[in-house]
Amino acid sequence: MKFLDQCKIIIRSGDGGAGCVSFRREKFIEFGGPDGGDGGKGGDVWIEAADGLNTLIDYRYHQHFKGKTGQHGMGRDRHGANGEDVVLKVPVGCQVFDEDGETLIVDLDQPGARVRLLKGGNGGFGNTRFKGPTNQAPRHANPGQPGEEKTIWLRLKLIADVGLVGLPNAGKSTLLAAVSAARPKIADYPFTTLNPNLGMVDLTANERFVLADIPGLIEGASEGAGLGTRFLGHVERTAVLIHLVDATQDDVAAAWRTVRAELAAYGAGLAEKPELVALNKVDALDPAVRDERRAALAAACGSAPHMVSGVSGEGVTALMRAAYRQVRAAKDAAAPTPEPEAWRP
Ligand SMILES: Nc1nc2c(ncn2[C@@H]2O[C@H](COP(=O)(O)OP(=O)(O)OP(=O)(O)O)[C@@H](O)[C@H]2O)c(=O)[nH]1
Ligand SMILES: [Mg+2]
């Protein structure tokens, strides 16, 4: 399935139905009086976060959504039927922005979250409603209220617990494939990954988290170089970033700094997020080079990097455990689990 994480759509709520002008006419009943019913309400436009969706591709070819018009009122005091609502189903993690692309209207970060974006127009009053002591036979009714129209942006920010960042070819996709059932494309050239990939990492039956692999970052990505930094939105909500540095390059410290600079330039709190630095592809180095590169990277980032290899599996479990600890800590901080009651006989 194609992946699409941003699109613009036009929504419109339904117009209200018009009220009716009608008079009661029956044999032997003189001056039957007004009996025009009200119009029905126009359909609303709702948006709902649905489980099981992971792209906005449905909105690529269908961009206009309109609530139905309410039915007009009818004689004999019959009310028009309300117009049907439209419900836009989007993946969990979708944000809705105003036409300017910046004003956040709603963030659908919980499955089942449902919000009304536009309200349908009210139906107009029929002439029965205008009956009064002075005007007992009103010959007018209200038209229905028109619906509203709006252009909105849908932007998907995937929900993952841990994000993988690094230069192109750092081995991010290889690592994701090593620890989860995901099968991302892996190849020996930069920008193999064009869209984010998610994988579920199962440490034990109840210790699991979602790992996101995103395209590589290069120097100047925040100014649009390479694939840019837009896909960093998919790791904005993670608890921790795993920063992979390819150990087979000469200057590992510079590689680390380049990616850090791009994270800082992107903003949105990515630079402040906990980071696990990992020197990857250590299987390809001889011990002397290995120690030298580890020292160079440690000096740059200020902590001992994890030594891992997505190919041989070395250090991978320890790295995933460390990531899981951060995920756990972040979850506990968000919603502290209540202390179990002490058991007393
Ligand atoms: N020796 C060795 N090679 C690796 C390791 N991990 C990845 N590679 C190789 O490095 C190359 C790039 O791997 P990918 O996993 O596609 O790298 P990526 O970071 O996802 O790259 P982009 O998607 O282009 O950003 C591939 O040829 C892999 O076989 C590793 O641990 N050891
Ligand atoms: Mg990749």
Side-chain angles (χ1 to χ4, degrees):
M1 185 162 47
K2 268 211 177 144
F3 184 83
L4 181 76
D5 60 0
Q6 173 158 297
C7 62
K8 186 171 166 179
I9 60 171
I10 297 164
I11 54 176
R12 191 172 196 298
S13 56
D15 301 337
C20 167
V21 177
S22 159
F23 293 94
R24 183 168 174 209
R25 297 212 186 281
E26 258 172 82
K27 207 175 179 183
F28 308 122
I29 294 182
E30 280 179 284
F31 309 115
D35 71 351
D38 301 343
K41 185 180 142 304
D44 301 334
V45 180
W46 292 79
I47 190 157
E48 183 180 314
D51 255 337
L53 294 178
N54 49 20
T55 141
L56 293 173
I57 196 68
D58 299 345
Y59 299 94
R60 176 71 183 265
Y61 304 105
H62 183 179
Q63 290 148 344
H64 293 256
F65 296 87
K66 188 174 179 305
K68 284 263 178 352
T69 304
Q71 209 182 1
H72 297 328
M74 288 157 288
R76 301 226 229 118
D77 282 324
R78 281 168 300 168
H79 196 284
N82 291 341
E84 219 174 293
D85 297 344
V86 271
V87 181
L88 309 172
K89 296 239 160 122
V90 293
V92 180
C94 183
Q95 295 181 328
V96 182
F97 290 87
D98 218 332
E99 188 167 9
D100 61 8
E102 282 164 16
T103 321
L104 181 68
I105 299 176
V106 57
D107 185 356
L108 299 156
D109 54 357
Q110 298 293 330
R114 199 165 192 270
V115 171
R116 181 164 68 191
L117 295 175
L118 292 182
K119 187 169 172 289
N122 286 327
F125 281 173
N127 68 340
T128 318
R129 302 264 198 169
F130 298 100
K131 182 170 73 176
T134 49
N135 185 0
Q136 299 188 359
R139 289 178 180 279
H140 66 273
N142 275 348
Q145 252 179 7
E148 312 163 73
E149 185 171 291
K150 196 171 200 168
T151 304
I152 54 171
W153 281 94
L154 301 180
R155 203 165 289 161
L156 177 59
K157 291 186 178 169
L158 292 174
I159 307 273
D161 301 306
V162 180
L164 274 173
V165 295
L167 294 180
N169 262 337
K172 301 179 292 298
S173 304
T174 308
L175 185 67
L176 177 72
V179 296
S180 73
R183 287 293 162 262
K185 185 167 165 195
I186 294 168
D188 190 14
Y189 55 81
F191 302 117
T192 317
T193 304
L194 298 175
N195 293 316
N197 299 300
L198 295 183
M200 179 68 85
V201 181
D202 279 297
L203 292 171
T204 63
N206 42 22
E207 291 177 311
R208 51 209 320 245
F209 61 87
V210 178
L211 179 63
D213 161 38
I214 59 170
L217 288 168
I218 57 172
E219 187 168 352
S222 50
E223 270 106 54
L227 294 178
T229 51
R230 193 165 63 78
F231 49 75
L232 280 176
H234 299 295
V235 295
E236 255 178 47
R237 304 171 187 251
T238 59
V240 51
L241 296 177
I242 294 179
H243 184 159
L244 278 193
V245 181
D246 181 351
T248 61
Q249 65 200 328
D250 295 327
D251 197 346
V252 288
W256 179 82
R257 268 186 237 111
T258 305
V259 173
R260 290 301 300 173
E262 294 308 322
L263 293 178
Y266 178 81
L270 286 193
E272 293 77 43
K273 239 181 228 312
E275 179 195 36
L276 294 170
V277 181
L279 196 58
N280 191 25
K281 308 196 189 178
V282 292
D283 61 296
L285 302 181
D286 49 47
V289 186
R290 195 179 149 130
D291 290 341
E292 174 205 314
R293 302 240 158 111
R294 181 222 287 258
L297 184 56
C301 72
S303 64
H306 287 260
M307 303 296 274
V308 302
S309 162
V311 167
S312 71
E314 175 185 345
V316 168
T317 315
L319 178 61
M320 292 303 133
R321 289 228 154 263
Y324 181 73
R325 273 197 296 279
Q326 297 276 358
V327 172
R328 201 59 264 170
K331 283 199 176 145
D332 288 346
T337 39
E339 283 286 313
E341 285 274 311
W343 186 81
R344 283 194 199 83

